Amino acid sequence: MMISTTIGNTALIQWQPPKEMVGEHMGYRLQYKRAEEDAFAVRDFHKTDDHFTVTGLHKGATYIFKLCAKNRAGNGEEYVKEISTPEDLPASYPLNLSVVGLTATATRLAWEPPALAERNGKIVKYVVVYRDINSQNESSDATAETHMSLNGLQPDTTYDIRVQAFTAKGGGPLSPSIQSRTMSTTMPVFTKNFGVKAVTKTSVLLTWDVPEIFESEVPLKILYNQQSVEVRGEHKRKLITQLTPDTEYSFVLMSRGNSAGGLQQQVSIRTAPDLLLNKPSEYPQDVEEGGKVMLRLPGVPPGTPFRWFYIVVVPLTPASLKWENPDDMDLQAVNVTPVLFSLAVSKT
């Protein structure tokens, strides 16, 4: 199999019949995909075919091609070949540029790479271009990551911000601009001691303190991973659910009503890994053993450095029944009664 690429994002695949063939030669099967993709595109050909042109290839990408002959019994041994198309400037800009944190002198940004088909190669860096909206003087900063903090900004000032992706060939177009206003140095403190009370594989319980005199009627806002949720400040706690196991999250508490955005505090955590392969089950026991429940505990992946099981018993009440997933249950809200367990773990 021979493959030659063209400047028009196409590749010409040519091949010759197999020198030896067991059974009647029925044709060929060609499979191809970009290396980062999961599924192959599949094309079948007659035994008289000897070439095919693949169109719509991406620039600066590696492709895998597999070709085999077929007889009545099925497909034969595959001939595998990789090619790389030449790089070019990115054809598009980074996606979903957003502000994920604020202080009086800094703005923290996050974005996503350009669409895969428009990267035209490996993205080697991003350049963030920003300016005070009342000035024409632009500043810029570069990073290899998809996030950045702009430091040394002026308090209570609105900035216009754009981001640009670069391959080894150069930079692509600038993204549409967003605006971010830094906090005022005279902003009152609405909350303090913002932190994490508990973490499971799919939820986190956030808590904070408020001043003794707290009369704000404006809800607070919690930002995380480009999502947001509002909460009354006087509640002093919020359970965030439906998270992904074993994943980093950053939570930012903001006062929604302040013109500067009002970042109060920020905390980062990693959710617990998903180690339990299945749910616990009730162990067969004598029905006359009142007040006792025997459980068969689930297995964990081999080699996992776990030390013990943590078991919580929650009474069935209207408050506890509203949660579909036990990991998302606010244990303090349902008034869990401590229960003492005698736990025996069998290796079988």
Side-chain angles (χ1 to χ4, degrees):
M1 178 172 59
M2 298 176 292
I3 304 175
S4 56
T5 59
T6 70
I7 60 175
N9 297 340
T10 66
L12 174 63
I13 297 95
Q14 298 171 290
W15 60 85
Q16 298 176 353
K19 293 181 179 180
E20 298 179 1
M21 189 74 191
V22 178
E24 181 183 358
H25 184 194
M26 303 296 295
Y28 302 92
R29 169 162 289 186
L30 175 68
Q31 301 181 76
Y32 59 94
K33 72 179 184 73
R34 183 166 174 163
E36 297 91 341
E37 297 174 336
D38 295 326
F40 282 88
V42 180
R43 294 293 302 264
D44 291 306
F45 299 94
H46 298 294
K47 64 181 181 179
T48 55
D49 293 327
D50 61 2
H51 70 278
F52 177 68
T53 300
V54 178
T55 61
L57 299 183
H58 303 158
K59 296 179 180 179
T62 298
Y63 285 87
I64 303 171
F65 292 85
K66 298 180 179 181
L67 180 69
C68 66
K70 301 186 295 181
N71 61 15
R72 294 189 180 276
N75 298 329
E77 182 179 357
E78 292 178 330
Y79 185 95
V80 181
K81 195 168 187 177
E82 290 188 6
I83 66 165
S84 294
T85 55
E87 283 195 329
D88 201 348
L89 306 179
S92 186
Y93 48 79
L95 304 175
N96 299 324
L97 174 62
S98 62
V99 176
V100 296
L102 285 171
T103 69
T105 59
T107 292
R108 183 165 178 79
L109 307 166
W111 58 86
E112 297 174 7
L116 186 63
E118 299 176 322
R119 295 176 195 174
N120 291 345
K122 179 182 178 181
I123 302 299
V124 295
K125 71 175 180 179
Y126 298 92
V127 172
V128 175
V129 180
Y130 59 100
R131 66 177 180 86
D132 180 342
I133 61 170
N134 296 315
S135 170
Q136 295 301 317
N137 297 325
E138 291 187 336
S139 300
S140 64
D141 205 349
T143 178
E145 308 294 335
T146 55
H147 54 83
M148 174 189 287
S149 288
L150 302 179
N151 300 307
L153 306 180
Q154 295 298 315
D156 199 16
T157 302
T158 301
Y159 287 86
D160 185 89
I161 304 171
R162 296 178 292 173
V163 64
Q164 179 183 21
F166 282 73
T167 64
K169 291 292 186 178
L174 284 162
S175 70
S177 64
I178 63 170
Q179 292 190 346
S180 173
R181 189 175 185 86
T182 51
M183 293 173 56
S184 169
T185 55
T186 60
M187 180 183 299
V189 176
F190 287 98
T191 65
K192 56 183 179 179
N193 300 329
F194 181 50
V196 175
K197 183 73 172 181
V199 179
T200 73
K201 63 185 179 183
T202 60
S203 67
V204 57
L205 178 60
L206 303 171
T207 60
W208 57 90
D209 296 327
V210 295
E212 293 183 4
I213 301 177
F214 184 82
E215 299 178 351
S216 175
E217 295 297 326
V218 179
L220 301 179
K221 179 182 287 188
I222 298 176
L223 303 179
Y224 64 100
N225 290 43
Q226 299 184 358
Q227 299 185 62
S228 67
V229 61
E230 291 188 350
V231 61
R232 302 296 303 181
E234 62 270 19
H235 291 172
K236 298 189 291 187
R237 63 201 311 273
K238 179 63 179 178
L239 182 71
I240 306 294
T241 61
Q242 299 181 351
L243 305 179
T244 303
D246 201 19
T247 302
E248 294 282 351
Y249 285 91
S250 180
F251 298 92
V252 177
L253 184 64
M254 305 177 70
S255 58
R256 182 175 64 86
N258 188 277
S259 61
L263 171 65
Q264 297 303 304
Q265 294 185 47
Q266 179 173 345
V267 66
S268 298
I269 58 98
R270 188 176 189 90
T271 50
D274 190 4
L275 298 181
L276 299 182
L277 303 180
N278 43 55
K279 296 181 179 180
S281 59
E282 189 170 350
Y283 195 84
Q285 62 185 24
D286 189 340
V287 294
E288 295 182 358
E289 294 186 26
K292 294 183 180 180
V293 175
M294 296 285 289
L295 296 178
R296 181 183 286 111
L297 299 176
V300 296
T304 301
F306 95 104
R307 298 174 62 186
W308 53 69
F309 289 92
Y310 179 64
I311 302 175
V312 177
V313 174
V314 180
L316 290 180
T317 66
S320 64
L321 287 174
K322 69 179 182 179
W323 282 281
E324 296 182 2
N325 183 355
D327 287 321
D328 294 340
M329 185 176 292
D330 189 340
L331 298 180
Q332 295 185 16
V334 297
N335 296 320
V336 176
T337 302
V339 179
L340 180 62
F341 283 91
S342 174
L343 179 62
V345 180
S346 170
K347 292 185 178 179
T348 60

